[in-house]
Amino acid sequence: MTTERLRHLLTLDGLGGDRLDALLDTAEALHPNALGGTALRHVLAGRTVCNLFFENSTRTRSSFQLAAQRLGADVLNFDISASSVKKGESALDTLRTLEAMGIDAFVVRHAENGAVAALAAGAKPTTSLLNAGDGRSAHPTQGLLDMLTIRQRKGRDFGGLSVLVVGDVLHSRVARSDLHALRQLGCRDIRVCGPASLLPGSNITAGCTVGQNLDAMVEGADVVMMLRLQRERMEEGLVPSLDQYFREYGLTPARLARAKPDAIVMHPGPMNRGVEIADAVADGPQSVILDQVANGVAVRMAVLKHLLGG
């Protein structure tokens, strides 16, 4: 198993199964302290983490803030709307200005593909960057928390699992990170389902079974991962209507009954009820959606601990 310290976490692609397992093991160990308490406040005491979000995201930003605070770091939530970025300052100049104030790590969310990697390339050697979602590229901590949730319910051996990803895979950075992680953890039956207009090319779905018939694709699945459909996809003409999308790709109790009896249902949130998922499924006994939210704090604690060497 690799023991070399991570400097940045930009993507899960190429990280390797051993490294992924190490991060997940750390998250499991930290989990009892993720939802409260002060027992771990010494781990990152004296360190400063900046949430640098060029794109809004309430749950991701809040989760990172809580994770850093649980480990005792000082947290700066940088308000882009009131910053010099609005006056034309580049993202890299903003990062370098904050670096000069003693920031140790930046949690960055950005609408452009590759934006976080570009910032990492320009950062000081002692600075760590963590990708909190960039364009369609990656959302590595969401991928990690999804894998932790699966592991908690299905065990460490991903090799025998059938995992189905449903929805707008084309535009989803979450799906990309999940697919990267599933492959490296040894999952041999990865299924991708959605309308043709929302399916990516074979470079993204390599090694996956791809289809457009959800009733057929969900058959015998152990894990069903639903993706959020942004309503602008209908305005762009990529889906005819939200009602039709739900009829063809919404997860209903009848469709879920085709999966294995102990199948789990996941969703990265925020959910569009009645579009991607029925209320009875979202709130039902097979849903682990709130577990995903809780696991997000533990995973982000683990990543910060690995990045900052605590």
Side-chain angles (χ1 to χ4, degrees):
M1 180 180 293
T2 181
T3 56
E4 181 185 356
R5 181 192 151 203
L6 280 173
R7 180 185 168 200
H8 306 300
L9 182 65
L10 306 178
T11 178
L12 299 183
D13 191 20
L15 209 58
D18 285 348
R19 176 80 80 180
L20 289 174
D21 277 328
L23 287 166
L24 294 175
D25 288 345
T26 301
E28 282 192 325
L30 295 174
H31 197 278
N33 301 96
L35 301 183
T38 60
L40 298 177
R41 294 292 171 91
H42 64 284
V43 174
L44 295 183
R47 298 283 200 159
T48 304
V49 176
C50 176
N51 282 329
L52 188 59
F53 277 46
F54 296 89
E55 185 183 58
N56 291 331
S57 175
T58 301
R59 69 183 62 211
T60 301
R61 178 165 156 168
S62 298
S63 181
F64 274 113
Q65 179 174 349
L66 287 170
Q69 290 172 335
R70 297 281 190 263
L71 295 174
D74 295 320
V75 181
L76 172 64
N77 286 315
F78 189 74
D79 186 357
I80 295 296
S81 66
S83 75
S84 295
V85 172
K86 291 295 184 180
K87 302 175 185 176
E89 182 177 78
S90 72
L92 184 56
D93 282 338
T94 297
L95 181 136
R96 287 174 172 164
T97 298
L98 292 167
E99 273 186 323
M101 299 179 190
I103 304 294
D104 297 292
F106 291 87
V107 177
V108 184
R109 189 177 185 98
H110 204 288
E112 294 181 11
N113 295 339
V116 186
L119 289 174
K124 294 193 302 186
T126 54
T127 301
S128 293
L129 270 83
L130 203 160
N131 185 354
D134 67 326
R136 302 181 188 178
S137 297
H139 196 344
T141 56
Q142 181 70 45
L144 285 169
L145 73 88
D146 287 346
M147 297 308 108
L148 180 59
T149 306
I150 293 172
R151 195 162 88 160
Q152 287 169 340
R153 296 300 184 107
K154 300 296 179 182
R156 299 174 66 96
D157 183 9
F158 281 68
L161 295 179
S162 298
V163 180
L164 171 63
V165 181
V166 182
D168 184 6
V169 182
L170 177 63
H171 301 95
S172 176
R173 52 193 170 206
V174 172
R176 282 162 174 73
S177 289
D178 281 332
L179 294 177
H180 291 153
L182 287 166
R183 290 188 190 103
Q184 292 173 95
L185 290 172
C187 184
R188 293 189 290 269
D189 183 9
I190 307 172
R191 310 172 189 179
V192 173
C193 181
S197 58
L198 298 179
L199 291 174
S202 58
N203 59 318
I204 303 299
T205 59
C208 303
T209 301
V210 181
Q212 297 175 43
N213 185 329
L214 180 54
D215 289 327
M217 296 287 285
V218 75
E219 196 74 40
D222 295 286
V223 178
V224 184
M225 307 176 73
M226 306 305 295
L227 300 173
R228 183 167 69 96
L229 179 73
Q230 294 182 324
R231 292 174 185 267
E232 52 262 41
R233 303 306 171 213
M234 187 178 71
E235 297 167 8
E236 295 166 2
L238 296 178
V239 294
S241 72
L242 298 181
D243 287 342
Q244 182 172 330
Y245 183 87
F246 182 68
R247 285 196 302 273
E248 296 183 5
Y249 295 102
L251 189 60
T252 61
R255 283 203 169 109
L256 181 57
R258 293 174 174 267
K260 289 184 181 173
D262 62 347
I264 59 172
V265 175
M266 307 176 70
H267 194 300
M271 291 182 289
N272 292 310
R273 292 169 180 263
V275 178
E276 306 115 19
I277 192 166
D279 287 340
V281 175
D283 301 325
Q286 292 170 265
S287 172
V288 295
I289 295 168
L290 292 180
D291 292 343
Q292 291 174 265
V293 176
N295 284 336
V297 179
V299 158
R300 285 155 184 148
M301 288 173 68
V303 171
L304 287 168
K305 187 173 186 293
H306 278 253
L307 289 180
L308 298 180

